[in-house]
Amino acid sequence: MDKRDGMNYAPKGKPNVVVKGGEFIFAVIGLNHGHIYGISNGLLEAGAILKLVYDPDIEKVKAFQKEYPQVMAAESEEQVLCDPEIKLVAGACITSDRAALGIRVMRAGKDYLTDKAPLTTLEQLDEVKKVISETGRKYAVCYSERLQCESAIYAGQLIEQNAIGRVVQVIGMGPHRLNAPSRPDWFFIKEKYGGILCDIGSHQIEQFLFYTGATDAKVVNSKVTNYNNPNYPELEDFGDATLIGNNGATGYFRVDWFTPDGLSTWGDGRTFILGTEGYIELRKYVDLAKEETGDHVFWVNKDGEHYINVTGQVGFPFFGQFILDCIHRTEHAMTQAHALKAAELCVKAELQAEWIV
Amino acid sequence: MDKRDGMNYAPKGKPNVVVKGGEFIFAVIGLNHGHIYGISNGLLEAGAILKLVYDPDIEKVKAFQKEYPQVMAAESEEQVLCDPEIKLVAGACITSDRAALGIRVMRAGKDYLTDKAPLTTLEQLDEVKKVISETGRKYAVCYSERLQCESAIYAGQLIEQNAIGRVVQVIGMGPHRLNAPSRPDWFFIKEKYGGILCDIGSHQIEQFLFYTGATDAKVVNSKVTNYNNPNYPELEDFGDATLIGNNGATGYFRVDWFTPDGLSTWGDGRTFILGTEGYIELRKYVDLAKEETGDHVFWVNKDGEHYINVTGQVGFPFFGQFILDCIHRTEHAMTQAHALKAAELCVKAELQAEWIV
């Protein structure tokens, strides 16, 4: 996987096996986004067994099987949904189809783990909530820019240890490399990808809620535009939003498709977490002009300026926790409410967004 | 001067003498903020002669004379304003008094250079504009976080050289150390300091206008609060704002008084300038946990990731240009319209700000 291409960014974490043998079996449906490789890696590293894969595009299935030779290709989605061994379906289909797939999965009695953004409209959100309530199944979301980023996990641990006091603000920057020719058609159709604040903005809103501990928030301003890609009129190449959490913490983020070709990775993702007693900065994927590696954590408090590179130090605890949550019907990895609140707010940010002319 | 204390931050630049002998003589009125030392240094380095100083507080005058033994103490403001040799009055009185002083200075036929923020209300702005128009004098503003910061000057040069294409967004972070016991009473009275978006926010709005080239902008959201300083109820310890320029460029900034004691300087000021072909990051006063020096410039474009430390490389061209502007009645250092547009927008940001509860 090329670190310069975010489309196929599939980080491998520190293995943390929580299940053994055939204790937890999952399948994959929907290979439209390369994130499915990262999600599969996370589940496999935690000890899950990958039994079946299904996608209508046989080429995508073949490529997936090349990476995971153990997986069998299913003839149909039906075959996956009817397999009683399969407890969880993971998927990365086209963003606007994710809710419908999840609903079919949950109605088949299985849990669902989708790539972000998990849905693109408030109507889908309502329907998803209804089916969760009816079936008791999980509609989980892999917000990879936190869950599959060791520096982002470490920041959560620092906050928990009270290293910076009460968190009052989070600023996130989520630039991405466009590499338009490598992208599928649906990527440039707003109704399908959901708009930039819904798509890559969802990572940012999830991080804002997580680090501040807010359980709800108001989007007080958001904007989107296409500054420099007239050939893709439905692409939003820039978006930003600012929020106020229900605990008074605030957030701002910018997302864009302007990563220059000269950057050594797909995006110079940053997170600035301001606390009453200090602050944290994450340089998630590169330390600009200094180190091409990622996971640089800087923090400052009364004791001084601190730096640690956490590559290989913390792993991705989400996947193991999530598998155990599926088995025990708990919510340690992420609550359902949190996963869907982030989804709701990113759809609202998109709906409210002013188009910059 | 202690680099840990922003109140007395008085950078000295690379000398760039533009006038000689007694060609350009100035005076100082108003010593309420330590910025007056930085302003005086800038003018002196460019060859101006400092003749008189006046402040009602004799202790402040004595301290000033200790730093600049050549300056004579005036008996009254009147004495300064009546001295025909003096072409310019520089000042850093209480923020809400700056407009009134400037108006007296301009009516006495002299130009005025004030510390930022240059005014605190829209009524003051109207009056200042009227007197500029009547007298033909200059009401100039030393926005020191750009004009007295070599990395900030260098960023302007990179943009002019088209290093990052068209600038579409600027994000600024302007944290400051509070050090409340060292601050005078007026600093905690909102009517006097103008609110955080007016005070330290003015630097940020000036930078947004300068780097994007916008000549006007709309403040589309702003917020302020006192998160953690209940003993100072009129202090706003946090503020942010987002703007849309009249050329479509956008801006966001956060200002706060949360610099932790462990930081090696008064504030980890950052500027992120996003262009269509690349971006620039300034670490203005420290490279966190790496270098206690300032003026670190990082930029990325199609050619790669670049880094330069520009300490001592570019100087502060504003002061020499401004002196020549005063002599030749030109506007090379900064236009009057730009200086007052930044002032207008920071007052508007403050007026519109939502108080976060």
Side-chain angles (χ1 to χ4, degrees):
Chain A
M1 297 288 164
D2 180 359
K3 132 178 222 290
R4 294 179 50 89
D5 185 353
M7 185 71 175
N8 294 314
Y9 186 66
K12 293 194 178 178
K14 202 172 88 173
N16 175 30
V17 175
V18 298
V19 284
K20 276 188 277 195
E23 219 180 320
F24 191 81
I25 297 174
F26 75 107
V28 162
I29 299 177
L31 302 172
N32 295 86
H33 197 295
H35 282 156
I36 194 61
Y37 289 88
I39 295 171
S40 299
N41 291 347
L43 292 167
L44 291 167
E45 283 159 14
I49 301 293
L50 174 53
K51 182 176 176 183
L52 290 175
V53 58
Y54 175 73
D55 190 283
D57 180 345
I58 188 69
E59 291 308 314
K60 287 195 176 68
V61 172
K62 279 184 189 165
F64 191 77
Q65 286 183 301
K66 203 168 164 190
E67 188 73 17
Y68 308 105
Q70 74 272 37
V71 69
M72 289 181 294
E75 303 273 314
S76 64
E77 183 181 298
E78 184 75 5
Q79 184 188 341
V80 177
L81 297 185
C82 291
D83 186 328
E85 279 193 337
I86 289 165
K87 301 300 174 205
L88 171 75
V89 173
C93 62
I94 291 173
T95 315
S96 57
D97 296 338
R98 289 173 187 171
L101 172 60
I103 286 166
R104 295 195 298 276
V105 167
M106 292 190 291
R107 289 221 160 111
K110 302 179 194 315
D111 293 316
Y112 180 55
L113 174 59
T114 181
D115 183 23
K116 52 46 66 183
L119 44 83
T120 55
T121 70
L122 295 177
E123 293 69 30
Q124 291 171 10
L125 177 66
D126 286 345
E127 190 67 14
V128 162
K129 283 183 175 171
K130 204 180 99 202
V131 178
I132 290 168
S133 162
E134 284 168 18
T135 62
R137 295 298 98 188
K138 291 179 187 293
Y139 189 101
V141 187
C142 183
Y143 292 102
S144 52
E145 291 186 24
R146 184 174 64 84
L147 302 176
Q148 293 186 284
C149 177
E150 292 186 284
S151 54
I153 300 293
Y154 193 75
Q157 295 171 356
L158 283 176
I159 292 165
E160 208 175 324
Q161 291 155 20
N162 201 33
I164 60 164
R166 177 167 65 105
V167 173
V168 296
Q169 203 222 18
V170 177
I171 292 179
M173 296 182 213
H176 287 65
R177 177 170 284 125
L178 182 56
N179 198 2
S182 75
R183 303 274 174 184
D185 291 347
W186 67 268
F187 186 83
F188 299 100
I189 300 168
K190 184 168 172 182
E191 185 265 335
K192 292 190 184 289
Y193 78 90
I196 191 170
L197 298 177
C198 180
D199 177 15
I200 52 181
S202 63
H203 293 294
Q204 300 293 331
I205 291 181
E206 194 279 331
Q207 286 170 84
F208 161 70
L209 293 174
F210 181 78
Y211 292 130
T212 62
T215 55
D216 201 353
K218 193 170 55 163
V219 178
V220 292
N221 182 262
S222 58
K223 359 184 181 29
V224 295
T225 198
N226 181 324
Y227 273 128
N228 206 41
N229 288 280
N231 293 340
Y232 300 98
E234 290 199 34
L235 174 73
E236 295 166 351
D237 61 17
F238 177 94
D240 73 359
T242 176
L243 299 96
I244 303 180
N246 60 355
N247 57 359
T250 60
Y252 171 80
F253 70 86
R254 176 191 88 200
V255 282
D256 67 75
W257 291 103
F258 286 118
T259 292
D261 284 347
L263 191 78
S264 59
T265 187
W266 55 271
D268 184 5
R270 304 280 186 104
T271 310
F272 292 84
I273 305 169
L274 179 67
T276 51
E277 312 295 333
Y279 62 96
I280 299 169
E281 176 186 357
L282 307 180
R283 299 181 195 157
K284 297 169 87 168
Y285 313 114
V286 62
D287 189 10
L288 207 50
K290 304 275 174 167
E291 304 248 15
E292 293 194 1
T293 57
D295 289 313
H296 305 273
V297 182
F298 298 79
W299 77 102
V300 189
N301 54 17
K302 68 176 167 24
D303 303 323
E305 302 175 13
H306 314 281
Y307 166 72
I308 184 173
N309 184 298
V310 295
T311 304
Q313 304 297 304
V314 285
F316 307 144
F318 171 80
F319 296 96
Q321 290 171 347
F322 176 66
I323 289 170
L324 295 176
D325 282 345
C326 289
I327 293 171
H328 303 302
R329 312 316 293 167
T330 50
E331 292 203 314
H332 299 299
M334 183 186 295
T335 67
Q336 186 66 75
H338 175 84
L340 292 183
K341 183 53 73 179
E344 174 193 328
L345 292 171
C346 70
V347 172
K348 285 182 171 172
E350 191 72 44
L351 286 171
Q352 290 175 219
E354 173 171 1
W355 181 271
I356 305 162
V357 286
Chain B
M1 297 287 163
D2 181 359
K3 132 178 222 289
R4 293 178 52 87
D5 186 352
M7 185 71 176
N8 294 314
Y9 185 66
K12 292 194 178 176
K14 202 170 88 174
N16 175 30
V17 175
V18 298
V19 283
K20 276 188 278 194
E23 219 180 320
F24 191 81
I25 297 174
F26 75 107
V28 162
I29 299 177
L31 301 172
N32 295 86
H33 197 295
H35 281 157
I36 194 60
Y37 290 89
I39 294 171
S40 300
N41 291 347
L43 292 167
L44 291 167
E45 284 159 15
I49 301 293
L50 174 53
K51 181 175 176 183
L52 290 174
V53 59
Y54 176 73
D55 190 283
D57 181 344
I58 189 70
E59 291 309 314
K60 286 194 177 69
V61 172
K62 279 185 189 163
F64 192 76
Q65 287 183 300
K66 202 168 165 191
E67 187 73 15
Y68 308 104
Q70 74 271 38
V71 71
M72 289 180 295
E75 303 275 314
S76 65
E77 183 181 299
E78 184 77 3
Q79 183 189 341
V80 176
L81 297 185
C82 291
D83 187 328
E85 279 193 336
I86 289 167
K87 301 300 176 204
L88 172 76
V89 173
C93 63
I94 291 173
T95 314
S96 57
D97 296 338
R98 288 173 186 170
L101 173 59
I103 286 166
R104 295 196 297 277
V105 168
M106 292 190 290
R107 290 222 160 112
K110 303 179 192 316
D111 293 316
Y112 179 55
L113 174 60
T114 179
D115 183 22
K116 52 45 67 184
L119 44 83
T120 55
T121 70
L122 295 178
E123 293 69 31
Q124 291 172 9
L125 177 65
D126 286 344
E127 190 67 16
V128 163
K129 282 183 176 173
K130 204 179 100 205
V131 178
I132 290 168
S133 162
E134 285 168 17
T135 62
R137 295 298 96 190
K138 291 179 186 292
Y139 188 101
V141 187
C142 184
Y143 292 103
S144 53
E145 291 187 24
R146 184 173 65 83
L147 302 176
Q148 294 186 284
C149 177
E150 292 187 284
S151 53
I153 300 293
Y154 193 75
Q157 295 171 356
L158 283 175
I159 292 165
E160 208 176 322
Q161 291 156 22
N162 201 32
I164 61 164
R166 177 167 66 105
V167 173
V168 296
Q169 204 222 17
V170 177
I171 293 179
M173 297 182 212
H176 287 65
R177 177 170 285 123
L178 183 56
N179 197 3
S182 75
R183 304 272 175 185
D185 291 347
W186 67 268
F187 186 84
F188 299 100
I189 301 168
K190 184 168 173 182
E191 186 263 337
K192 292 190 185 289
Y193 78 90
I196 193 171
L197 298 177
C198 180
D199 177 15
I200 52 180
S202 62
H203 293 295
Q204 300 293 331
I205 291 181
E206 194 278 332
Q207 286 170 85
F208 160 70
L209 293 174
F210 180 78
Y211 292 131
T212 62
T215 55
D216 201 354
K218 194 170 54 165
V219 178
V220 292
N221 183 261
S222 58
K223 0 185 182 22
V224 295
T225 197
N226 181 324
Y227 273 127
N228 207 41
N229 288 280
N231 293 341
Y232 300 98
E234 290 199 35
L235 174 73
E236 295 166 351
D237 62 18
F238 178 94
D240 73 359
T242 176
L243 299 95
I244 304 180
N246 60 354
N247 58 358
T250 60
Y252 171 80
F253 68 86
R254 176 190 89 200
V255 282
D256 67 75
W257 291 102
F258 286 117
T259 292
D261 283 346
L263 192 77
S264 59
T265 187
W266 56 270
D268 184 5
R270 303 281 186 105
T271 310
F272 292 84
I273 305 169
L274 179 66
T276 52
E277 312 295 333
Y279 62 95
I280 299 169
E281 176 186 358
L282 307 180
R283 299 181 195 155
K284 298 170 84 167
Y285 313 114
V286 61
D287 188 12
L288 206 51
K290 304 277 172 163
E291 305 248 14
E292 294 194 1
T293 57
D295 289 313
H296 305 273
V297 182
F298 298 80
W299 78 102
V300 190
N301 54 17
K302 67 175 168 26
D303 303 323
E305 302 175 13
H306 314 280
Y307 166 71
I308 184 173
N309 184 297
V310 295
T311 305
Q313 303 298 304
V314 286
F316 306 145
F318 171 80
F319 296 96
Q321 290 171 347
F322 176 66
I323 289 170
L324 295 177
D325 282 346
C326 289
I327 294 172
H328 304 302
R329 311 317 293 168
T330 50
E331 291 203 315
H332 298 299
M334 184 186 292
T335 67
Q336 186 65 77
H338 175 85
L340 292 184
K341 182 54 72 179
E344 173 192 328
L345 292 171
C346 72
V347 172
K348 285 181 171 170
E350 192 71 43
L351 286 171
Q352 289 174 219
E354 174 171 2
W355 181 271
I356 305 161
V357 286

